[in-house]
Amino acid sequence: MTRFVHLTDLHISHPDLADPHLQSDTPATLRRVVAVINAMDPQPAFVVASGDLTNQGDRESYALVREITTPLKAPLVMALGNHDKRAGFNAVFAPGLADAPYFHDAPQGDLHVIALDSSVPGKVAGALDDAQFEFLKAALQRHPELAKLLVIHHPPRIDPEALAWGSLDEASSARLAEMLEGQHVAGILSGHVHVNRVSHWNGIPVVISNGLHSTIDLTETRDLRIVEGTGSGSANGIPAG
């Protein structure tokens, strides 16, 4: 059993921005969460931050994310979301990538964690490009003894009747399903929609967390209503075998 913490939708903004689009004090929330994680005994094998790391995608806010998360005792696995901007993120966390997508993989605990970049510049919905599918195809062959855990900010398109902005596009979802068929995938971790949700998609658990910024009010059926307040990440255990 591998224990880890899943965080998402941090929406950090540097105070100098005076960001008018925040529903809560996200830097303060992240500082509290880091302290809670560091106090865990035993420590989680790793921490996931599955996208929307910042609210505006600026370099200064990514530097603040780095400052706040550097004290984490556990390794941090990051992915990018629609609020993120690759140039700003890469300048702080992946120098040399310029504005290229950020995707990577590595064993973490008893899992092989594969993080993909579903952000599409200028779009709310997500997609995966050919280069990432080629990367994923190769990554699925690495560490065959370990179950795979995918980190993708936009969840796959589980419900074809749902609003398109809330997921990967249909083409990416279909291609992903085909590529993962028959693979030992422990789950997919996502965010983006600011609600807690667990679904099974082609036999794979898809775990969406509402994030550290705000929550969508599911009781409002006519409009999109954002509720002030935050949710913290939770520790999860996934069997390695």
Side-chain angles (χ1 to χ4, degrees):
M1 184 78 72
T2 294
R3 296 176 67 254
F4 61 88
V5 172
H6 176 207
L7 308 176
T8 192
D9 293 271
L10 312 183
H11 287 273
I12 300 299
S13 278
H14 193 281
D16 289 350
L17 290 179
D19 192 337
H21 302 294
L22 293 181
Q23 278 74 45
S24 60
D25 186 346
T26 53
T29 300
L30 184 57
R31 292 183 194 278
R32 290 196 301 270
V33 168
V34 168
V36 169
I37 295 171
N38 281 343
M40 289 180 176
D41 185 17
Q43 276 287 290
F46 58 94
V47 176
V48 169
S50 62
D52 280 3
L53 308 174
T54 68
N55 204 45
Q56 301 290 346
D58 58 291
R59 182 172 181 166
E60 292 74 19
S61 294
Y62 288 113
L64 183 57
V65 171
R66 182 176 61 183
E67 173 193 323
I68 297 173
T69 59
T70 292
L72 275 171
K73 298 175 183 178
L76 177 62
V77 177
M78 292 183 289
L80 300 188
N82 56 291
H83 276 260
D84 292 306
K85 294 181 180 177
R86 293 164 178 168
F89 174 86
N90 291 338
V92 174
F93 289 104
L97 279 185
D99 60 352
Y102 177 74
F103 48 92
H104 54 98
D105 71 307
Q108 301 286 354
D110 292 324
L111 295 168
H112 178 201
V113 182
I114 304 171
L116 301 177
D117 184 348
S118 60
S119 65
V120 179
K123 302 291 185 180
V124 176
L128 299 171
D129 59 18
D130 290 342
Q132 292 195 72
F133 277 112
E134 287 301 313
F135 169 81
L136 176 59
K137 181 179 179 181
L140 290 170
Q141 304 308 310
R142 293 193 282 270
H143 310 289
E145 75 283 5
L146 300 179
K148 312 305 181 190
L149 180 68
L150 273 61
V151 180
I152 312 173
H153 180 69
H154 296 81
R157 192 79 182 272
I158 297 172
D159 180 2
E161 302 301 321
L163 295 174
W165 67 264
S167 67
L168 294 173
D169 62 15
E170 290 186 11
S172 296
S173 297
R175 191 172 176 183
L176 183 63
E178 181 180 3
M179 190 165 288
L180 296 182
E181 185 177 1
Q183 299 288 335
H184 187 190
V185 181
I188 298 174
L189 303 181
S190 299
H192 183 55
V193 294
H194 290 234
V195 295
N196 289 317
R197 180 181 298 161
V198 179
S199 304
H200 276 77
W201 174 71
N202 298 310
I204 299 171
V206 178
V207 180
I208 303 172
S209 295
N210 75 310
L212 303 188
H213 177 214
S214 59
T215 305
I216 300 298
D217 181 4
L218 296 179
T219 66
E220 174 56 67
T221 59
R222 293 173 299 178
D223 299 299
L224 181 65
R225 180 171 181 262
I226 298 175
V227 180
E228 294 186 6
T230 63
S232 62
S234 59
N236 299 271
I238 286 189

